[in-house]
């Protein structure tokens, strides 16, 4: 089945002259506004919802010279900035070199980190560097909630990184929160935490991809919580960043700030550690593989000539959502969320606030695609490790489920990563 068949799209439309930004974005741009680049799958943590099932380093990851060549392409294409992630990007030995190389070549850098290597010295370096944005991941406003998902000790590590950045004078760090049913009641606490550290709060959606597929049923927000989240985001306005995470909530009525459009293959994409290019940062799966940066023509050729990207940039002509009165603001929701819950890509989002996906989610025999790759450190079998740490399970005298629950730095050495 071709990508066109899956997506229900027509041939690529002619780009209109003028029109809204959404009209231009929908047909794709000559270069991505930003792209996510996962430099390594190595990670000192084992977060249960990790999109890329990170943990172990892939021995095929791009060399320093190959990464520099990719950055040269970004400069030539005038990519505005890159969002570097992983895994934990700072554990890659050449990370700081590649960051400086990108800046020296007029490519802005935003990198996401759990804070493990944001030392006072590195924080001072970042504070003195232009065109760098730092995003520290925290998934609970308290250690108890955060460490259930990210591992015992990870909250303190992230807070220490935020304090190091603040003490060094770094301006406007980001606190990145994946919203779950366990932390959605802590939104005010998250905002206060950001304010105390001179940071900006950024909320993202839990996607059922990577290891997140194993915990999505348990952790994704309830229908009642979705309404509470929507009301909170409306009140917060531009003071809280969301990117394109919550445009499916627009069916409640008033659109939220941010891009109400799936940007996959249009304005964003992902490059993984071995150079494979995927349409969406949340869909690291062979179904959404567009090419590789090491192939002839490099990334530029993949972005401009990939058949998959051409299909994604074509107008949608069918599907249940096009008949919905909120389609122009919701756009059918998240492609990755639909794919990894076994729903049709031209159908409603699994968290459709109008309930249009409820029946489909209950259907017996619904095919949920297996993960196409898993870099989890402890056990490569899907669903075996890591596990959610039970609230209170790490009380004194009771051993953790595994080393990463005891310390985020457990087994953190070259032979493991």
């Amino acid at each position: 089945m071709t990508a066109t068949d899956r997506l229900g799209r027509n041939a690529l439309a002619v780009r209109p002259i003028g029109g809204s930004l959404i009209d231009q974005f929908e047909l794709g741009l000559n270069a991505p506004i930003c792209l996510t680049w996962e430099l390594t799958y190595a990670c000192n943590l084992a977060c249960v919802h990790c999109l890329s099932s990170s943990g172990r380093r892939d021995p095929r990851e791009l060399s320093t010279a190959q990464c520099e060549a990719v950055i040269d392409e970004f400069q030539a294409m005038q990519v505005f900035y890159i969002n570097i992630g992983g895994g934990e990007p700072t554990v890659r030995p050449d990370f700081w070199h590649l960051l400086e190389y990108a800046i020296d070549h007029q490519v802005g850098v935003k990198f996401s980190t759990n804070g493990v290597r944001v030392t006072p010295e590195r924080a001072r370096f970042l504070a003195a560097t232009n065109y760098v944005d730092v995003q520290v991941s925290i998934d609970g406003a308290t250690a108890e909630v955060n460490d259930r998902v990210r591992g015992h000790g990870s909250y303190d590590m992230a807070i220490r990184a935020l304090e190091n950045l603040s003490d060094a004078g770094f301006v406007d760090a980001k606190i990145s929160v994946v919203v779950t049913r366990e932390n959605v009641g802590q939104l005010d606490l998250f905002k206060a935490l950001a304010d105390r550290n001179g940071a900006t709060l950024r909320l993202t959606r839990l996607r059922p991809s990577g290891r997140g597929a194993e915990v999505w049923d348990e952790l994704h927000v309830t229908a009642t919580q979705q309404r509470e989240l929507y009301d909170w985001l409306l009140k917060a306005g531009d003071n809280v960043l969301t990117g394109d995470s919550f445009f499916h909530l627009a069916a409640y009525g008033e659109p939220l700030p941010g891009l109400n459009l799936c940007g996959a293959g249009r304005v964003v994409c992902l490059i993984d550690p071995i150079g494979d290019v995927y349409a969406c940062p949340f869909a690291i799966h062979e179904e959404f593989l567009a090419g590789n940066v090491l192939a002839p023509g490099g990334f530029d050729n993949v972005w401009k000539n990939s058949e998959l990207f051409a299909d994604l940039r074509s107008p949608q002509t069918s599907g249940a959502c096009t008949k919905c009165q909120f389609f122009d603001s919701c756009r059918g929701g998240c492609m990755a969320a639909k794919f990894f819950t076994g729903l049709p890509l031209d159908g409603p989002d699994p968290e459709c606030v109008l309930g249009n996906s409820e029946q489909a989610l209950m259907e017996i025999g619904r095919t949920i695609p297996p993960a196409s790759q898993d870099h989890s450190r402890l056990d490569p079998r899907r669903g075996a490790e890591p596990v959610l740490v039970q609230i209170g399970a790490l009380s004194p005298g009771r051993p953790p489920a595994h080393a990463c629950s005891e310390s985020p730095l457990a087994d953190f050495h070259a032979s493991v990563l």
Side-chain angles (χ1 to χ4, degrees), residues 373-384:
Q373 54 182 293
D374 192 345
H375 307 276
S376 300
R377 207 159 13 119
L378 298 177
D379 191 326
R381 292 174 301 164
R382 206 164 173 246

Side-chain angles (χ1 to χ4, degrees), residues 184 187-188 203 223-237 240 246 249-257 353:
V184 70
L187 296 178
D188 288 334
L203 301 181
T224 299
Q225 289 172 333
Q226 287 216 97
R227 182 69 207 211
E228 295 170 354
L229 171 62
Y230 171 77
D231 291 339
W232 192 90
L233 289 172
L234 273 184
K235 183 178 179 180
V240 173
F246 301 107
L249 300 181
Y252 279 128
E254 184 177 343
L256 295 167
V353 299

Side-chain angles (χ1 to χ4, degrees), residues 54-67:
S54 291
R56 292 174 291 115
R57 173 184 175 271
D58 191 314
R60 302 170 297 165
E61 69 183 31
L62 299 178
S63 68
T64 301
Q66 289 170 330
C67 288

Side-chain angles (χ1 to χ4, degrees), residues 253-267:
E254 184 177 343
L256 295 167
L259 180 65
N260 68 328
L261 172 73
C262 174
R266 293 163 167 163
V267 296

Side-chain angles (χ1 to χ4, degrees), residues 281-292:
F282 310 114
I284 307 174
H285 191 279
E286 58 193 17
E287 286 287 316
F288 301 101
L289 178 59
N292 188 284

